[in-house]
Amino acid sequence: MSTTITPVDDPQPAATSSRGRRFLPRLVRPATAVLSGLLLYLSFPPRPLWWLVLPGIALLGWCLHGRRLRAGFGLGLLIGLGFMLPLLHWTGEEVGPVPWLALATAEALFIAVGCIGIAAVSRLAWWPVWAAAVWALDEGVRARVPFGGFPWGKIAFGQADSVFLPLAAVGGTPLLSFAVVLCGFGLLEAVRRFRIWRRTGEVPRAAVAAAAVTVLVPLAGALAARPLVDDSAEDGTATVAAVQGNVPRLGLDFNSQRRAVLDNHARLTEQLAREVKAGKVPQPDFVLWPENSSDLDPYRNADARIVIDEAVKAINAPTVVGAVVEPDTGKLRNTLIQWDPTSGPVATYDKRHVQPFGEYMPMRSFIRIFSSDVDRVQRDFGPGKKVGVFDLAGTQVGLVTCYEAAFDDAVRDTVEHGSQLIAVPSNNATFGRSEMTYQQLAMSQVRAVEHSRSVVVPVTSGVSAIIRPDGTIVQKTKVFTADALVDKVPLRSSLTPATRLGTLPEGLLALVAVAGLGWAAVRSVRARRGR
């Protein structure tokens, strides 16, 4: 008698495969959240891919729509890390990964909290409006706290070349961010409604109207705002020179070689004076040097004062010189000095928004635990109090020093105080060849449209540029290259709605966000009571 043994399949592979099929779908939303953040990052300069913000926001909305608040936080954190880790990589250029990771994580946490709010309002009718307002509120909060805030990464700052840019002239960066995010959420809602129609054949009119409006209104608003974008010379023109003297070396020690940075800028200014005398370039009405263009305090160092004075006399035009001023007591000052060819230094502007962990060190003893580089900042900088507007050969020039370009109030104040042109003297030498200089330049383009002013950006070593009031860059330098830009720029004194309205658009959007969050909270309480 023979016995036939029937093989029995091993159940282990089937069980493993089943678990894998159940596990993989759980990764879809987290992976999409990271992809959303990466798309937001890729929409920022130096890449001309501003439109990637729309699919990035749409994916963000898909991740958060209908989710619980705890899931909204977790997915929001992944979105924030996918966005901020690559965007802020330049912050660790010379000091290692700890400051970069700490800052990026802190900013990602702000975004995660905002995503809790977006998840909360995502079940409401017209949810894209409420969600976009929550995003604008979140940007406003992290632009103010902690330590004065850190506005880097506002959606508006990635839109320097976008079709939405004219909206900056209507309501500033808060309205521009809101409109772009609203359009992204609207695109998601349109796709959702189309898929529901394909599946059920139902077309709820109110929901379809909401999807259409949230896509079309931002685009129509941007088109309607185009007449506000004007580069005509209301008050005539001024010939301005922006001097980029370059630095002797990259990194934090860019000014460690005594007088090297100052000599570079003085030498290039004197060369420019020779070219003017030879008729190769027009005589500038005034000259702009960058932030920290004098690596010595000219009030304390006679040799530095002589070098600056000779260069300014050679070009024979009032010159703005950036210097670190060292008072006998108290904190350092990051100062812009108006230097007259006849009278010498006649006015100063002290930077008002000084950079935490860069120009001053909060929580010094605690930070030292993580990085010894904290002691590179041996003496803190203090903030100035006065708005900076210099009268340079009859032109009212508003002064915004580097980091301040990210702050709405710092730029708006100068226009409200009568500036016809905005200067943004900057020093990007400590950030090497990173994307930082391009991100900051895009901010200046947005500011040009927001306030309808020409913007001139002299930088020690990054990208110096001359920008028209319509946001167009007409001249720019290369990175770490000594160069001088000379151009006739239009002067303007009219005020855009954004300048006149000030913080009102941001305040109204905050009220919309709070109303949406309140409505969502009431609905949630009612739903729990009804169980």
Side-chain angles (χ1 to χ4, degrees), residues 233-254:
E234 290 178 334
D235 302 331
T237 60
T239 301
V240 59
V243 174
Q244 177 173 302
N246 205 7
V247 297
R249 59 177 63 86
L250 283 69
L252 293 171
D253 298 321
F254 72 95

Side-chain angles (χ1 to χ4, degrees), residues 291-311:
E291 175 191 30
N292 303 151
S293 47
S294 175
D295 47 7
L296 297 174
D297 180 352
Y299 295 108
R300 300 178 69 91
N301 295 272
D303 57 337
R305 185 183 182 108
I306 291 170
V307 168
I308 295 171
D309 208 48
E310 289 179 348

Side-chain angles (χ1 to χ4, degrees), residues 121-160:
V121 301
S122 66
R123 292 182 173 87
L124 302 179
W126 293 79
W127 73 268
V129 177
W130 309 112
V134 170
W135 182 276
L137 173 62
D138 189 67
E139 285 192 343
V141 171
R142 68 182 179 89
R144 290 171 172 83
V145 294
F147 312 118
F150 188 73
W152 226 274
K154 272 190 174 184
I155 293 298
F157 293 147
Q159 299 297 297

